[in-house]
């Protein structure tokens, strides 16, 4: 060990008695200072602007130090340029000068030479990490509640990467007496390790092997704050492999051995490391530590509990990927590793998830014929396969896939089928920018495999809103209820849906809630009797009406102690017509789910085109709580005949108009037979229509889901929310930002330049 440390000390002296180590340190310091101050300035500008821009300050630590636009990400992308300049002379200098022969003839062991030079590089890497620590310390002063755990995890990842690069450079330096050749060779190895994970990804065996060898994402997870034993083991193995290669190279120079013997040693080192790495990367063998304060890289507790209920039984996930589906490219074989990254958090808690991929071609939705005029479906599929350089024989025909599974109900889309014991369910991809299911949708699908889901039944027969019509601009309920490509639809959030005709059918007893949405004709006596019977036995109910149809629903509401108010609500607005009111969420509604918290704080409302107020009528056994209420400063109840396109509509107390807070949605609760009965009533049925679901800045979609979740006592949708960002403010002024720039771009680099210059001049004089 003493000899190793002496060699390390000597190597450090050589590094710092030459300008290169000082020059690289100065450039690295300036580069980090420039990137840090730029990132801080962007956040500071947003903080000064205020308003909605303040949302950009959430997770400021990740913004300043993260992978995409942060300091650590920039270091990761550029650090490979530094190490070859430092390592290129480690051994090649000894070879070119002839001192390597003196080392061979000395009692110094080859392992001591290799380790001594590597320890020197480890020490220099600590200098670079020390420079980064300056910015980490500054970040704790500049950012409120900065995430120290995330930053130190990132530092550790960068240090491991630097050491791995150093080991590679040391080996390449042992191969040649030319330092430039060693540097170029080192860069070539870096490029191979970074990009090998992107080649031959359509071959299963090659894909798994290259994914293991690839170094590109190993430090990235640590920058995000997740430390995995498999990543640490990978870096240690890379270091061991190349140090072992360097040892073999120098040992072969000291001893005369046949070429096959040397080659066998190289192969033995590589395959032993490969086997160790394979075992270390098995899902059941990986340990994790999430350094983020909110455990952002770990499944939420609710998701963990759901996975735990699977027990030891295996879970199988079969992906059916249609070549003609517009989302098929994300399921291509060469995208398999990216797909598995999304499943990694689940494999952490359930290692025995098995994956299977089946490729086919069949008529998708929408059909592709208009883009390929004159071609048959098979010819279109063949052309697409050819364009993606895929073997068309690898895709099952429509007849073959139908023998395995009927995907017509899934519109022949890219879909995943989950199998657990004797139960199956589908997990879908969605028509939004995210495409993939989130933790919420995956947890809901898992729940389908474990228990009976809540069933929401929609009344039909009186021309109520259609739940199977999917027009984006109409008043149907298809998109929020049954649309498979909409991630927030009830069927994708853990609900079963069905319909019932109140004219001819009894209301099922095992349902979670009955929905009566905007009936257009009067209920028959049999229908009214069935509704009253359902209410009397304690069934949950949602009633959504319209002002011009209040006479139809008032008889149903009267026993509940509730009625639609006479007239129609109006609201002043620059953007909407007067009959569109935006009632805000009350505290009662905010308690339904965490998803409404932000809307409640921002006083964001639910858009209701044509709404009636709700009024109590007298004695009732229910406790009535307002969920949505209008703002009396902006809205009022208009009575009498209303003609929207005739003239400006104004508040007229002479005509009986009322200006006060009107509830447009209420919740009714009572204890019946030891169980809480819940009823929701809204003075508008359009608020959850397809036309209103995706309007920006309104709470229609989350409010709708929260009401149905209220019926399940919060069990669905699955709550996968996480703690809000605490590092959402900068402790900085304009003068402070200027001082940072002067310090990091002037004073510190200048001080190092002066010190290194004096140091080297004094050394030269000696």
């Amino acid at each position: 060990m003493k000899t190793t440390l002496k060699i390390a000390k000597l190597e450090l002296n050589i590094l710092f008695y030459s300008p290169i180590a000082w020059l690289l340190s100065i450039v690295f310091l300036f580069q980090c200072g420039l990137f840090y101050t730029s990132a801080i300035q962007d956040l500071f500008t947003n903080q000064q602007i205020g308003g909605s821009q303040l949302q950009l300050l959430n997770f400021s630590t990740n913004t300043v130090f993260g992978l995409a636009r942060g300091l650590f990400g920039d270091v990761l992308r550029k650090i490979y340029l530094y190490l070859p300049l430092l390592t290129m002379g480690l051994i090649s200098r000894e070879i070119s000068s002839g001192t390597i022969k003196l080392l061979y003839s000395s009692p110094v062991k080859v392992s001591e030479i290799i380790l001594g030079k590597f320890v020197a590089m480890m020490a220099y890497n600590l200098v670079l990490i020390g420079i980064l620590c300056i910015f980490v310390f500054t970040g704790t002063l500049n950012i409120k509640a900065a995430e120290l755990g995330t930053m130190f995890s990132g530092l550790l990842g960068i240090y491991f990467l630097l050491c791995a690069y150093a080991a590679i450079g040391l080996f390449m330096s042992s191969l040649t007496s030319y330092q430039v050749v060693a540097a170029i060779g080192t860069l070539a190895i870096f490029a191979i390790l970074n990009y090998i994970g992107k080649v031959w990804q359509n071959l299963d065996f090659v894909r798994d092997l290259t994914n293991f060898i690839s170094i590109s994402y190993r430090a990235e997870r640590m920058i995000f704050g997740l430390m995995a034993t498999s990543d640490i083991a990978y870096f240690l193995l890379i270091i061991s492999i190349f140090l072992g290669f360097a040892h073999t190279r120098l040992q072969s120079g000291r001893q005369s051995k046949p070429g096959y013997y040397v080659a066998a040693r190289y192969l033995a080192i590589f395959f032993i490391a490969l086997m160790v790495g394979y075992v270390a990367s098995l899902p059941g063998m990986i340990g994790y530590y999430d350094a983020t304060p909110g455990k952002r890289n770990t499944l939420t507790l609710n998701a963990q509990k759901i996975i735990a209920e699977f027990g030891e039984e295996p879970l199988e996930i079969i992906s059916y990927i249609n070549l003609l589906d517009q989302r098929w490219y994300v399921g291509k074989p060469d995208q398999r590793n990216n797909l598995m990254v999304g499943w990694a958090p689940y494999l952490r808690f359930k290692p025995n998830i098995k994956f299977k991929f089946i490729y086919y071609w069949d008529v998708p939705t929408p059909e592709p014929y208009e883009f390929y005029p004159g071609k048959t479906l098979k010819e279109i599929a063949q052309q697409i396969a050819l364009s993606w350089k895929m073997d068309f024989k690898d895709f099952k025909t429509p007849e073959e896939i139908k023998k395995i599974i009927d995907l017509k109900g899934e519109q022949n889309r890219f879909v995943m089928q989950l199998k657990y014991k004797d139960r199956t369910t589908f997990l879908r991809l969605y028509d939004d920018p995210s495409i993939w299911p989130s933790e919420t949708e995956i947890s809901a699908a898992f729940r389908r495999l474990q228990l009976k889901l809540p069933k929401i039944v929609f009344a039909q027969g009186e021309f109520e809103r259609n739940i199977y019509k999917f027009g984006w601009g109409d008043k149907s309920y298809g998109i929020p209820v049954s649309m498979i490509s909409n991630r927030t639809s009830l069927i994708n959030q853990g609900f079963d849906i069905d319909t019932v005709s109140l004219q001819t059918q009894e209301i099922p007893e095992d349902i979670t809630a009955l929905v009566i949405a905007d009936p257009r004709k009067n209920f028959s006596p049999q229908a009214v009797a069935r509704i009253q019977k359902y209410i009397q036995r304690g069934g949950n109910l949602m009633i959504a009406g319209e002002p011009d149809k209040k006479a139809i629903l008032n008889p149903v509401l009267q026993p509940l102690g509730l009625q639609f108010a006479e007239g129609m609500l109006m609201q002043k607005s620059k953007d909407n017509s007067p009959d569109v009111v935006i009632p805000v969420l009350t505290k009662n509604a905010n308690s339904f789910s965490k998803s409404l918290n932000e809307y409640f704080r921002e006083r964001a409302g639910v858009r209701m085109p044509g709404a009636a107020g709700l009024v109590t009528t007298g004695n009732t056994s229910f406790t009535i709580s307002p969920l949505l209420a209008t703002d009396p400063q902006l809205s009022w109840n208009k009575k009498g005949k209303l003609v929207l396109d005739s003239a400006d509509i104004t508040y007229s107390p002479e005509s009986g108009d009322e200006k006060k807070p009107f509830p447009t949605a209420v919740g009714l609760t009572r204890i019946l037979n030891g169980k809480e009965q819940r009823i929701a009533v809204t003075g508008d049925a359009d608020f959850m229509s397809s036309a209103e679901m995706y309007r920006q800045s309104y709470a229609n979609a989350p409010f709708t889901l929260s009401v149905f979740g209220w019926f399940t006592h919060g069990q669905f949708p699955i709550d996968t929310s996480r703690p809000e960002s605490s590092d959402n403010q900068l402790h900085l002024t304009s003068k402070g930002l200027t001082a940072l720039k002067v310090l990091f771009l002037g004073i510190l680099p200048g001080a190092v330049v002066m010190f290194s210059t004096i140091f080297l001049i004094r050394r030269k004089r000696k």
Side-chain angles (χ1 to χ4, degrees), residues 422-548:
D422 59 342
R423 306 186 70 172
T424 64
T425 190
F426 287 114
L427 180 62
R428 305 173 177 98
L429 276 64
Y430 306 107
D431 292 343
D432 57 38
S434 298
I435 299 180
W436 294 107
S438 69
E439 191 174 326
T440 302
E441 291 81 58
I442 293 173
S443 298
F446 284 172
R447 266 300 189 219
R448 282 187 177 276
L449 299 173
Q450 297 172 346
L451 47 80
K452 183 180 178 182
L453 295 182
K455 180 182 286 188
I456 308 297
V457 173
F458 290 78
Q460 302 288 285
E462 290 77 27
F463 303 105
E464 292 92 344
R465 298 295 174 96
N466 191 322
I467 65 170
Y468 296 111
K469 187 178 178 183
F470 304 114
W472 284 93
D474 61 32
K475 297 184 177 183
S476 65
Y477 284 2
I479 290 177
V481 174
S482 64
M483 189 175 188
I484 64 173
S485 60
N486 172 28
R487 73 171 63 244
T488 60
S489 66
L490 294 183
I491 60 170
N492 287 322
Q493 293 295 316
F495 296 88
D496 285 333
I497 60 170
D498 203 350
T499 59
V500 62
S501 173
L502 299 178
Q503 300 279 1
T504 59
Q505 296 174 287
E506 292 293 333
I507 302 172
E509 296 187 3
D510 62 341
I511 66 174
T512 300
L514 172 69
V515 179
I516 303 174
D518 190 22
R520 304 298 179 89
K521 69 175 185 178
N522 291 324
F523 292 107
S524 66
Q526 295 91 338
V528 173
R530 289 187 174 106
I531 295 171
Q532 297 299 339
K533 179 182 176 182
Y534 175 77
I535 294 173
Q536 290 168 8
R537 72 174 187 236
N540 295 332
L541 177 66
M542 179 178 184
I543 298 176
E546 288 289 316
D548 58 343

Side-chain angles (χ1 to χ4, degrees), residues 377-395:
L377 191 67
K378 183 176 182 179
E379 289 172 339
I380 295 172
Q382 288 175 326
Q383 182 172 332
I384 294 175
L386 180 64
S387 66
W388 287 105
K389 297 180 175 60
M390 300 289 295
D391 189 347
F392 189 63
K393 295 178 181 178
D394 294 336
F395 294 86

Side-chain angles (χ1 to χ4, degrees), residues 146-445:
E147 298 180 358
L148 279 173
T150 305
M151 291 188 287
F152 282 117
S153 173
L155 287 173
L156 184 62
I158 292 173
Y159 184 68
F160 274 124
L161 184 66
L162 287 170
C163 291
Y165 282 170
I168 295 169
L170 190 151
F171 168 63
M172 296 306 297
S173 180
S174 71
L175 295 178
T176 177
S177 61
Y178 299 101
Q179 296 188 26
V180 174
V181 174
I184 295 173
T186 302
L187 286 172
I189 296 295
F190 292 171
I192 291 172
L193 289 177
N194 274 286
Y195 293 104
I196 195 171
K198 299 179 182 180
V199 299
W200 300 315
Q201 295 299 290
N202 56 326
L203 302 176
D204 291 342
F205 172 74
V206 176
R207 179 174 55 248
D208 295 338
L209 179 62
T210 56
N211 182 57
F212 169 74
I213 296 174
S214 176
I215 201 173
S216 60
Y217 68 92
R218 300 290 180 169
E220 293 177 4
R221 288 201 293 192
M222 299 181 78
I223 289 175
F224 282 123
L226 180 65
M227 289 185 278
T229 56
S230 58
D231 293 334
I232 296 174
Y234 172 84
F235 285 121
L236 295 178
L237 287 172
I238 288 292
I239 293 169
S240 301
I241 287 172
F242 284 96
L243 291 183
F245 284 175
H247 183 276
T248 300
R249 174 71 180 89
L250 293 187
Q251 193 70 23
S252 65
R254 172 178 266 184
Q255 301 174 348
S256 179
K257 294 290 184 180
Y260 66 83
Y261 175 82
V262 176
R265 286 196 60 178
Y266 282 123
L267 290 174
I269 292 171
F270 179 76
F271 283 111
I272 290 173
L274 201 63
M275 286 189 290
V276 173
Y278 174 77
V279 174
S281 62
L282 291 174
M285 301 295 293
I286 303 175
Y288 296 89
Y289 176 71
D290 192 345
T292 59
K295 306 300 179 186
R296 293 192 303 273
N297 301 302
T298 305
L299 296 179
T300 58
L301 291 178
N302 282 341
Q304 292 180 41
K305 290 176 182 177
I306 291 171
I307 290 179
E309 292 187 22
F310 282 121
E312 298 300 321
E313 292 288 332
L315 170 66
E316 185 178 18
I317 300 177
I318 306 173
S319 295
Y320 293 98
I321 304 166
N322 185 0
L323 176 64
L324 298 177
D325 179 27
Q326 60 184 355
R327 287 155 293 273
W328 103 275
Y329 66 94
V330 298
K332 292 190 302 157
D334 60 1
Q335 296 296 314
R336 192 80 52 82
N337 288 330
N338 293 333
L339 187 151
M340 295 307 298
V341 167
W343 285 107
Y346 299 88
L347 289 168
R348 173 179 172 182
F349 295 98
K350 188 168 180 58
N352 61 342
I353 301 178
K354 308 300 179 185
F355 297 89
K356 186 177 179 181
F357 300 87
I358 297 178
Y359 296 89
Y360 72 100
W361 59 273
D362 202 348
V363 180
T365 301
E367 296 184 10
Y369 295 106
E370 62 179 296
F371 302 107
Y372 303 88
K375 290 184 179 292
T376 65
L377 191 67
K378 183 176 182 179
E379 289 172 339
I380 295 172
Q382 288 175 326
Q383 182 172 332
I384 294 175
L386 180 64
S387 66
W388 287 105
K389 297 180 175 60
M390 300 289 295
D391 189 347
F392 189 63
K393 295 178 181 178
D394 294 336
F395 294 86
K396 297 184 181 299
T397 65
E399 294 74 23
E400 290 173 333
I401 193 65
K402 284 182 173 63
K403 291 179 181 178
I404 301 173
I405 188 173
D406 185 5
L407 295 173
K408 185 177 180 180
E410 294 298 314
Q411 301 172 6
N412 289 327
R413 295 163 57 91
F414 179 168
V415 68
M416 291 170 278
Q417 186 186 44
L418 279 54
K419 289 186 176 182
Y420 173 69
K421 294 183 178 179
D422 59 342
R423 306 186 70 172
T424 64
T425 190
F426 287 114
L427 180 62
R428 305 173 177 98
L429 276 64
Y430 306 107
D431 292 343
D432 57 38
S434 298
I435 299 180
W436 294 107
S438 69
E439 191 174 326
T440 302
E441 291 81 58
I442 293 173
S443 298

